[in-house]
Every structure is written in C-alpha cells, then in structure tokens.
Amino acid sequence: MEINPKNPIIFELKNRIETDKNDKTVKDLVNLLSDTALLTSGFSLDEPHLFAQRIHRMIKLGLSIDDEEIDETQEKLENIPSLDNQPDDEMEAVD
C-alpha cells in the first residue's frame, strides 16, 4: 500500500493522531484503509468480522447514533408483544 502524504484523508488522519493518539475512530479509519487496500488488491482478510465491526461503527458515527440510543431502541423492541402467541380466534372476534 502506498501512502501519499498529500492525500487529504492521510493529511487529516495525521492531524487527528497528533491531537489524540488514543482516538478509537482514527484507529478504526486507519485499519479500514489498510483492509480496503488488501481487498482491492485481491487479498482476503484474516479477520473479516473485525472489518465488519469497524464498518458498523463508522456507519453509526456517520448517522450520529450512539450505543445508548441503540440500547434504548432494542429495549423498546423487546417490549413489543409478540403476535405469534395470539390465538387466531381472538383476532377474528374483533371483526
């Protein structure tokens, strides 16, 4: 993989690393760049599930979704009563 220091992505990543070396988003982006370079070159990834996790984190970041919102949404969905447990005759009684 060739890194062009004049590329705006590389330039911005360098700036962010200088600001905070422990920024998880920057680490994910660097790993994504490396993984996509491997994939576009015809190689396969040793751990594709990590690639998928990074992609999902970037999608959540792009959509401004935090983990608390996801937990709240999942909790709401779990509280929805299931229609599978309803007897058919109760549904017909409404008619």
Side-chain angles (χ1 to χ4, degrees), residues 78-92:
E78 289 171 1
N79 292 330
I80 296 174
S82 174
L83 296 176
D84 293 335
N85 297 334
Q86 300 292 329
D88 291 335
D89 57 336
E90 284 186 29
M91 292 297 287
E92 292 176 11

PDB file of all heavy atoms in Angstrom, residues 78-92:
ATOM      1  N   GLU A  78     -37.908  -5.065  22.377  1.00  0.00           N
ATOM      2  CA  GLU A  78     -38.122  -6.250  23.203  1.00  0.00           C
ATOM      3  C   GLU A  78     -39.441  -6.176  23.968  1.00  0.00           C
ATOM      4  O   GLU A  78     -40.025  -7.192  24.310  1.00  0.00           O
ATOM      5  CB  GLU A  78     -36.960  -6.420  24.193  1.00  0.00           C
ATOM      6  CG  GLU A  78     -35.682  -6.851  23.517  1.00  0.00           C
ATOM      7  CD  GLU A  78     -34.477  -6.813  24.446  1.00  0.00           C
ATOM      8  OE1 GLU A  78     -34.650  -6.473  25.640  1.00  0.00           O
ATOM      9  OE2 GLU A  78     -33.371  -7.124  23.979  1.00  0.00           O
ATOM     10  N   ASN A  79     -39.927  -4.964  24.229  1.00  0.00           N
ATOM     11  CA  ASN A  79     -41.164  -4.790  24.985  1.00  0.00           C
ATOM     12  C   ASN A  79     -42.418  -4.861  24.110  1.00  0.00           C
ATOM     13  O   ASN A  79     -43.525  -4.802  24.622  1.00  0.00           O
ATOM     14  CB  ASN A  79     -41.144  -3.469  25.745  1.00  0.00           C
ATOM     15  CG  ASN A  79     -40.118  -3.477  26.857  1.00  0.00           C
ATOM     16  OD1 ASN A  79     -39.822  -4.521  27.427  1.00  0.00           O
ATOM     17  ND2 ASN A  79     -39.565  -2.326  27.168  1.00  0.00           N
ATOM     18  N   ILE A  80     -42.261  -4.978  22.810  1.00  0.00           N
ATOM     19  CA  ILE A  80     -43.405  -5.100  21.911  1.00  0.00           C
ATOM     20  C   ILE A  80     -43.952  -6.520  22.033  1.00  0.00           C
ATOM     21  O   ILE A  80     -43.217  -7.483  21.896  1.00  0.00           O
ATOM     22  CB  ILE A  80     -43.000  -4.806  20.447  1.00  0.00           C
ATOM     23  CG1 ILE A  80     -42.550  -3.358  20.324  1.00  0.00           C
ATOM     24  CG2 ILE A  80     -44.157  -5.107  19.496  1.00  0.00           C
ATOM     25  CD1 ILE A  80     -42.005  -3.010  18.965  1.00  0.00           C
ATOM     26  N   PRO A  81     -45.259  -6.647  22.311  1.00  0.00           N
ATOM     27  CA  PRO A  81     -45.817  -8.004  22.443  1.00  0.00           C
ATOM     28  C   PRO A  81     -45.762  -8.759  21.119  1.00  0.00           C
ATOM     29  O   PRO A  81     -45.954  -8.190  20.045  1.00  0.00           O
ATOM     30  CB  PRO A  81     -47.259  -7.763  22.886  1.00  0.00           C
ATOM     31  CG  PRO A  81     -47.544  -6.340  22.601  1.00  0.00           C
ATOM     32  CD  PRO A  81     -46.242  -5.611  22.515  1.00  0.00           C
ATOM     33  N   SER A  82     -45.514 -10.026  21.225  1.00  0.00           N
ATOM     34  CA  SER A  82     -45.426 -10.870  20.039  1.00  0.00           C
ATOM     35  C   SER A  82     -46.822 -11.219  19.540  1.00  0.00           C
ATOM     36  O   SER A  82     -47.717 -11.525  20.322  1.00  0.00           O
ATOM     37  CB  SER A  82     -44.673 -12.154  20.383  1.00  0.00           C
ATOM     38  OG  SER A  82     -44.710 -13.031  19.293  1.00  0.00           O
ATOM     39  N   LEU A  83     -47.017 -11.184  18.253  1.00  0.00           N
ATOM     40  CA  LEU A  83     -48.298 -11.567  17.666  1.00  0.00           C
ATOM     41  C   LEU A  83     -48.381 -13.069  17.438  1.00  0.00           C
ATOM     42  O   LEU A  83     -49.458 -13.602  17.217  1.00  0.00           O
ATOM     43  CB  LEU A  83     -48.514 -10.832  16.332  1.00  0.00           C
ATOM     44  CG  LEU A  83     -48.617  -9.315  16.433  1.00  0.00           C
ATOM     45  CD1 LEU A  83     -48.731  -8.718  15.040  1.00  0.00           C
ATOM     46  CD2 LEU A  83     -49.792  -8.899  17.292  1.00  0.00           C
ATOM     47  N   ASP A  84     -47.239 -13.744  17.510  1.00  0.00           N
ATOM     48  CA  ASP A  84     -47.219 -15.181  17.280  1.00  0.00           C
ATOM     49  C   ASP A  84     -47.940 -15.959  18.374  1.00  0.00           C
ATOM     50  O   ASP A  84     -48.439 -17.046  18.143  1.00  0.00           O
ATOM     51  CB  ASP A  84     -45.778 -15.689  17.185  1.00  0.00           C
ATOM     52  CG  ASP A  84     -45.077 -15.148  15.956  1.00  0.00           C
ATOM     53  OD1 ASP A  84     -45.773 -14.806  14.982  1.00  0.00           O
ATOM     54  OD2 ASP A  84     -43.841 -15.065  15.976  1.00  0.00           O
ATOM     55  N   ASN A  85     -48.020 -15.406  19.569  1.00  0.00           N
ATOM     56  CA  ASN A  85     -48.627 -16.121  20.686  1.00  0.00           C
ATOM     57  C   ASN A  85     -50.133 -15.888  20.796  1.00  0.00           C
ATOM     58  O   ASN A  85     -50.773 -16.397  21.697  1.00  0.00           O
ATOM     59  CB  ASN A  85     -47.950 -15.714  21.999  1.00  0.00           C
ATOM     60  CG  ASN A  85     -46.489 -16.105  22.025  1.00  0.00           C
ATOM     61  OD1 ASN A  85     -46.104 -17.050  21.353  1.00  0.00           O
ATOM     62  ND2 ASN A  85     -45.690 -15.392  22.774  1.00  0.00           N
ATOM     63  N   GLN A  86     -50.706 -15.080  19.931  1.00  0.00           N
ATOM     64  CA  GLN A  86     -52.126 -14.777  19.985  1.00  0.00           C
ATOM     65  C   GLN A  86     -52.919 -15.858  19.270  1.00  0.00           C
ATOM     66  O   GLN A  86     -52.619 -16.215  18.137  1.00  0.00           O
ATOM     67  CB  GLN A  86     -52.405 -13.425  19.303  1.00  0.00           C
ATOM     68  CG  GLN A  86     -51.684 -12.246  19.931  1.00  0.00           C
ATOM     69  CD  GLN A  86     -52.213 -11.925  21.312  1.00  0.00           C
ATOM     70  OE1 GLN A  86     -53.389 -12.130  21.603  1.00  0.00           O
ATOM     71  NE2 GLN A  86     -51.337 -11.456  22.178  1.00  0.00           N
ATOM     72  N   PRO A  87     -53.967 -16.396  19.925  1.00  0.00           N
ATOM     73  CA  PRO A  87     -54.817 -17.369  19.232  1.00  0.00           C
ATOM     74  C   PRO A  87     -55.541 -16.707  18.064  1.00  0.00           C
ATOM     75  O   PRO A  87     -55.892 -15.533  18.121  1.00  0.00           O
ATOM     76  CB  PRO A  87     -55.810 -17.827  20.294  1.00  0.00           C
ATOM     77  CG  PRO A  87     -55.384 -17.216  21.577  1.00  0.00           C
ATOM     78  CD  PRO A  87     -54.350 -16.179  21.294  1.00  0.00           C
ATOM     79  N   ASP A  88     -55.758 -17.466  17.010  1.00  0.00           N
ATOM     80  CA  ASP A  88     -56.409 -16.928  15.814  1.00  0.00           C
ATOM     81  C   ASP A  88     -57.822 -16.459  16.087  1.00  0.00           C
ATOM     82  O   ASP A  88     -58.295 -15.484  15.515  1.00  0.00           O
ATOM     83  CB  ASP A  88     -56.419 -17.973  14.697  1.00  0.00           C
ATOM     84  CG  ASP A  88     -55.013 -18.232  14.159  1.00  0.00           C
ATOM     85  OD1 ASP A  88     -54.172 -17.319  14.281  1.00  0.00           O
ATOM     86  OD2 ASP A  88     -54.771 -19.338  13.644  1.00  0.00           O
ATOM     87  N   ASP A  89     -58.557 -17.147  16.982  1.00  0.00           N
ATOM     88  CA  ASP A  89     -59.954 -16.793  17.206  1.00  0.00           C
ATOM     89  C   ASP A  89     -60.096 -15.432  17.883  1.00  0.00           C
ATOM     90  O   ASP A  89     -61.095 -14.754  17.691  1.00  0.00           O
ATOM     91  CB  ASP A  89     -60.678 -17.878  17.993  1.00  0.00           C
ATOM     92  CG  ASP A  89     -60.032 -18.184  19.334  1.00  0.00           C
ATOM     93  OD1 ASP A  89     -58.829 -17.924  19.486  1.00  0.00           O
ATOM     94  OD2 ASP A  89     -60.742 -18.685  20.231  1.00  0.00           O
ATOM     95  N   GLU A  90     -59.112 -14.978  18.657  1.00  0.00           N
ATOM     96  CA  GLU A  90     -59.190 -13.647  19.259  1.00  0.00           C
ATOM     97  C   GLU A  90     -59.126 -12.568  18.192  1.00  0.00           C
ATOM     98  O   GLU A  90     -59.797 -11.562  18.283  1.00  0.00           O
ATOM     99  CB  GLU A  90     -58.053 -13.453  20.257  1.00  0.00           C
ATOM    100  CG  GLU A  90     -58.250 -14.150  21.565  1.00  0.00           C
ATOM    101  CD  GLU A  90     -57.155 -13.801  22.554  1.00  0.00           C
ATOM    102  OE1 GLU A  90     -56.588 -12.682  22.469  1.00  0.00           O
ATOM    103  OE2 GLU A  90     -56.859 -14.641  23.415  1.00  0.00           O
ATOM    104  N   MET A  91     -58.340 -12.775  17.185  1.00  0.00           N
ATOM    105  CA  MET A  91     -58.228 -11.804  16.110  1.00  0.00           C
ATOM    106  C   MET A  91     -59.529 -11.734  15.330  1.00  0.00           C
ATOM    107  O   MET A  91     -59.968 -10.681  14.927  1.00  0.00           O
ATOM    108  CB  MET A  91     -57.070 -12.161  15.179  1.00  0.00           C
ATOM    109  CG  MET A  91     -55.692 -12.030  15.810  1.00  0.00           C
ATOM    110  SD  MET A  91     -55.316 -10.339  16.302  1.00  0.00           S
ATOM    111  CE  MET A  91     -55.053  -9.614  14.714  1.00  0.00           C
ATOM    112  N   GLU A  92     -60.162 -12.855  15.121  1.00  0.00           N
ATOM    113  CA  GLU A  92     -61.413 -12.894  14.374  1.00  0.00           C
ATOM    114  C   GLU A  92     -62.559 -12.305  15.167  1.00  0.00           C
ATOM    115  O   GLU A  92     -63.519 -11.792  14.621  1.00  0.00           O
ATOM    116  CB  GLU A  92     -61.733 -14.327  13.954  1.00  0.00           C
ATOM    117  CG  GLU A  92     -60.741 -14.847  12.922  1.00  0.00           C
ATOM    118  CD  GLU A  92     -60.981 -16.295  12.550  1.00  0.00           C
ATOM    119  OE1 GLU A  92     -62.022 -16.841  12.925  1.00  0.00           O
ATOM    120  OE2 GLU A  92     -60.106 -16.862  11.891  1.00  0.00           O
TER     121      GLU A  92
END
